[in-house]
Amino acid sequence: MSQGSDMNRLTATRSATLPDATRPQPGLPRRAAVLAAAAALLALCLLPAVVADAADVPPRDLHLVGDHWTAWDPPAPPAGAEVHVIERGDTLWDLAGRFYSDPYLWPQLWEQNQYVLDAHWIYPGDPLVVSVQVEEVDNLADLAPPGDEAAAEEDDSGRGSGILSAAEAAGAPVPLGSESDIYCSGFIGDAEAEFPFAIIGSEYETLSPDLSSHIVGGPAYSTTYGTDTVRYGMMNGDIVYLDGGRNGGMQPGQMFTAVARQERIRHPVSGRTLGTFYRFLGRVRVLSVQAETAIAEIVHTCDPVTVGSLLLPFEPQPVPLGRMGGLRPINYPTAAENLADAPIIVRSEDNLLTLGEDSVVYIDRGEEDVVPGDIFTIYRMNRPGLPPVVLGELAVLAVHQRSAVARILYSRYTVRVGDRLELK
């Protein structure tokens, strides 16, 4: 799938009488073809060729719900909710622009309709809840003690650097990262973590000729093939074989994240072993299942996928939104003692030594301590007797059991592994 805002242009499938779907293109939804009823079956046969160059393929386990085909199981909308019935050509990007006046709020629209398991695909006839519910709050100005009106209206021109007014702090929320920051990152886990399935082979392993077995006096080639592969790192569209199969609970259409076990992670401050880093390589979709194996297609790659890659069930995660407030004033840092047990950056993407704005990092706090959207001030500890130095800010994008993925939003100076964090 394409990354960043390009993938947000999510095209609905064609509302035909047969289960069919189109695939989005970066920038604009794909134009739906007008097909004669007599050519519907032919269109289904040609569909794989149509999407061969796309970054993904539509779900194949479509079923009839009411009078339309869909891959999802839409629930009945809540009472009183504003509902839009998806039409041909609709996209979450465009619908967010229509109903929220900002297409970048498409993750909020997706979050309200969690039955849509893959945000790339929405289907004509499915209902989308598009209303925004805002809880009423008391007007704090009405609760102010008598005589405080003047204080409330006092000129705020003397505010220190980095301190925002209420109007400035209430700006429109923006994405704190991109989908590639989340889906092409990884996590820190146990060294011998167990995974339900793995990639055990590929079509390329049958394509290398075994020249050592040719017949003496025969032709200078062999018709037998060995297990040496002609391609080690595989990309979008390549076919792989998975263990598990029907007896392992696999079903056609299932999506898995391919994972590679990498280096051991030591805490940069305490020196203790945190675990092993597992990198997300991409995603595979199950095409068909046999008793003990399954045939799958690679539909998204961050790094080349290899035979032996481990598999986790794919879980879609929207990019968190946040308001980009001002940096903590450099003349008002937190006290050093507040950072004694603070979260710490423990790994950088690709193990880079110097980090800055847009760098992806990993912190030593997991799902019990942080949530996506949390924003932290980054500090560098100073020599004894001097206050910590404000370096910048980062935002948490995804959380796992013992680590979290974050993106540096702003940096005054170079950020490094070992720098400390304070929740903003």
Side-chain angles (χ1 to χ4, degrees):
M1 75 180 58
S2 57
Q3 304 298 339
S5 62
D6 287 344
M7 70 76 60
N8 299 341
R9 292 194 170 277
L10 312 171
T11 304
T13 57
R14 292 199 297 268
S15 54
T17 55
L18 291 174
D20 193 9
T22 60
R23 182 68 184 96
Q25 292 288 346
L28 291 173
R30 173 173 296 187
R31 184 178 59 190
V34 179
L35 300 177
L41 291 177
L42 178 60
L44 286 176
C45 297
L46 295 177
L47 182 59
V50 175
V51 301
D53 293 332
D56 202 348
V57 293
R60 304 191 180 187
D61 52 345
L62 304 187
H63 54 278
L64 194 62
V65 175
D67 59 353
H68 69 283
W69 291 90
T70 179
W72 316 130
D73 297 307
E82 183 180 357
V83 176
H84 171 76
V85 177
I86 298 171
E87 300 175 355
R88 178 185 297 185
D90 279 348
T91 70
L92 293 187
W93 174 273
D94 291 332
L95 293 176
R98 183 194 311 176
F99 293 103
Y100 299 161
S101 301
D102 186 349
Y104 281 100
L105 296 182
W106 71 266
Q108 183 173 332
L109 178 59
W110 184 24
E111 186 176 1
Q112 289 199 92
N113 298 274
Q114 298 186 11
Y115 73 87
V116 179
L117 300 183
D118 186 341
H120 283 279
W121 298 100
I122 57 176
Y123 292 81
D126 280 355
L128 284 182
V129 176
V130 297
S131 54
V132 178
Q133 299 181 355
V134 180
E135 296 292 337
E136 296 183 359
V137 297
D138 294 329
N139 188 338
L140 298 182
D142 295 338
L143 302 179
D148 282 3
E149 291 83 358
E153 298 176 359
E154 183 179 352
D155 182 17
D156 62 357
S157 60
R159 288 183 283 114
S161 173
I163 300 178
L164 302 181
S165 67
E168 292 170 333
V174 297
L176 298 175
S178 68
E179 289 201 335
S180 62
D181 294 332
I182 297 175
Y183 295 136
C184 293
S185 57
F187 65 95
I188 299 172
D190 293 333
E192 301 301 328
E194 295 184 359
F195 291 77
F197 305 108
I199 297 176
I200 58 174
S202 78
E203 286 186 331
Y204 293 107
E205 292 180 335
T206 67
L207 304 181
S208 178
D210 184 4
L211 300 179
S212 63
S213 62
H214 69 276
I215 303 174
V216 175
Y221 60 88
S222 172
T223 57
T224 62
Y225 293 83
T227 57
D228 291 337
T229 181
V230 298
R231 179 179 293 181
Y232 179 72
M234 292 170 287
M235 307 296 285
N236 291 1
D238 289 339
I239 301 301
V240 295
Y241 304 107
L242 317 180
D243 62 1
R246 186 181 304 107
N247 294 341
M250 278 190 177
Q251 296 180 353
Q254 276 186 298
M255 294 276 287
F256 292 92
T257 298
V259 181
R261 183 182 280 115
Q262 296 192 336
E263 78 276 11
R264 184 171 58 179
I265 303 297
R266 288 189 178 275
H267 198 282
V269 175
S270 68
R272 64 185 176 89
T273 298
L274 292 177
T276 296
F277 181 69
Y278 293 86
R279 175 173 292 283
F280 297 147
L281 302 178
R283 289 196 293 279
V284 301
R285 188 193 302 274
V286 177
L287 301 180
S288 62
V289 296
Q290 296 77 46
E292 300 294 340
T293 60
I295 302 174
E297 179 185 8
I298 299 175
V299 295
H300 173 245
T301 49
C302 307
D303 290 312
V305 178
T306 60
V307 173
S309 297
L310 307 168
L311 297 176
L312 284 175
F314 171 68
E315 296 182 3
Q317 300 185 58
V319 177
L321 304 177
R323 290 181 170 86
M324 305 294 287
L327 181 67
R328 173 133 184 172
I330 60 175
N331 61 331
Y332 187 60
T334 191
E337 53 267 25
N338 294 338
L339 300 176
D341 297 319
I344 292 175
I345 298 174
V346 296
R347 189 187 188 276
S348 65
E349 193 70 5
D350 299 322
N351 289 314
L352 297 177
L353 297 179
T354 58
L355 309 169
E357 187 172 333
D358 295 332
S359 294
V360 174
V361 298
Y362 302 84
I363 67 175
D364 62 349
R365 294 294 190 273
E367 57 192 11
E368 294 184 357
D369 303 302
V370 296
V371 297
D374 280 349
I375 296 180
F376 288 84
T377 301
I378 309 172
Y379 286 97
R380 174 79 44 77
M381 297 302 290
N382 212 329
R383 58 193 171 103
L386 295 180
V389 177
V390 177
L391 296 180
E393 287 184 348
L394 62 74
V396 174
L397 302 181
V399 297
H400 302 279
Q401 184 176 5
R402 64 174 66 176
S403 64
V405 181
R407 176 175 174 265
I408 297 176
L409 304 177
Y410 175 76
S411 60
R412 297 178 59 233
Y413 300 112
T414 298
V415 177
R416 298 191 183 96
V417 170
D419 286 333
R420 306 190 183 213
L421 310 172
E422 183 181 57
L423 185 63
K424 191 173 179 181

